[in-house]
Amino acid sequence: MARTAQKNSVKGIRGPKKAAQSSYNGVALPTDMAERRRMRNKLSAKVHREKKKDVLESAKMEVVACDKELNQLKSELNEMRTKAIALQGIFESIEAKFGAEAVKNIFKKFGDVDVPMSVVDTYYPLPSA
C-alpha cells in the first residue's frame, strides 16, 4: 500500500485544479480572461503608483529634516565663530597688557582644554630673545 502511494506521487498526480481568482486586491475581477488581465494590470499599476508616491513623500520629509538639521548646525557654527572671535579679542588684550607668556600660561593652566600648544604658538608667539 505504501508503494502505491509513492508511485502516485512520483508520477505527478495533482489534486483538483484551483479555480481562477475571482478578486484581486479586494476588487472583483471579470470572467473574461483578457478583461481580467487588463483589470489586474490596472490595479497593479495603481498599487505601484501609490508606493512610488509614498516613497517620494518619505524622501521629501527626509530632505526637510536634513535641511532643518543643517540650518541648526550652521547656526551653532556661527555662534561658535562669534565666541571664538570674542575670545581671541580677550586674549589679544591680555597679550597687549601682560605679554604672550601670560597667554601661554593661561593655556597651560587649563591644559584639559583641547587647544594644542602649536595653535597657541601660532597665534601668540614668544618674542625672540
Side-chain angles (χ1 to χ4, degrees):
M1 197 185 275
R3 206 164 220 203
T4 309
Q6 187 179 16
K7 281 185 180 178
N8 287 344
S9 64
V10 171
K11 289 182 182 177
I13 298 177
R14 296 181 182 161
K17 259 189 170 179
K18 291 183 180 179
Q21 252 185 332
S22 60
S23 68
Y24 184 79
N25 282 346
V27 176
L29 294 175
T31 55
D32 179 43
M33 291 307 284
E35 188 64 31
R36 181 182 289 241
R37 193 175 327 110
R38 280 191 289 273
M39 180 66 81
R40 276 197 322 250
N41 188 27
K42 183 178 178 180
L43 293 170
S44 292
K46 181 179 178 182
V47 168
H48 175 74
R49 285 190 301 272
E50 289 172 357
K51 283 182 183 178
K52 186 177 177 181
K53 182 180 175 184
D54 289 343
V55 168
L56 184 60
E57 279 299 315
S58 175
K60 284 181 181 180
M61 288 173 39
E62 189 175 343
V63 166
V64 168
C66 287
D67 284 344
K68 184 177 178 181
E69 184 179 0
L70 179 63
N71 289 333
Q72 180 184 354
L73 290 172
K74 283 181 180 180
S75 174
E76 288 177 23
L77 177 62
N78 287 333
E79 185 180 330
M80 292 296 141
R81 283 180 175 159
T82 302
K83 287 180 180 181
I85 290 169
L87 282 173
Q88 187 175 6
I90 291 169
F91 282 117
E92 285 173 357
S93 65
I94 292 172
E95 181 185 22
K97 191 166 188 175
F98 301 105
E101 188 64 37
V103 174
K104 285 194 173 198
N105 286 335
I106 291 171
F107 279 104
K108 284 180 184 175
K109 184 172 182 167
F110 298 101
D112 59 337
V113 178
D114 292 336
V115 180
M117 288 311 291
S118 61
V119 172
V120 176
D121 290 334
T122 302
Y123 287 104
Y124 305 102
L126 290 176
S128 311

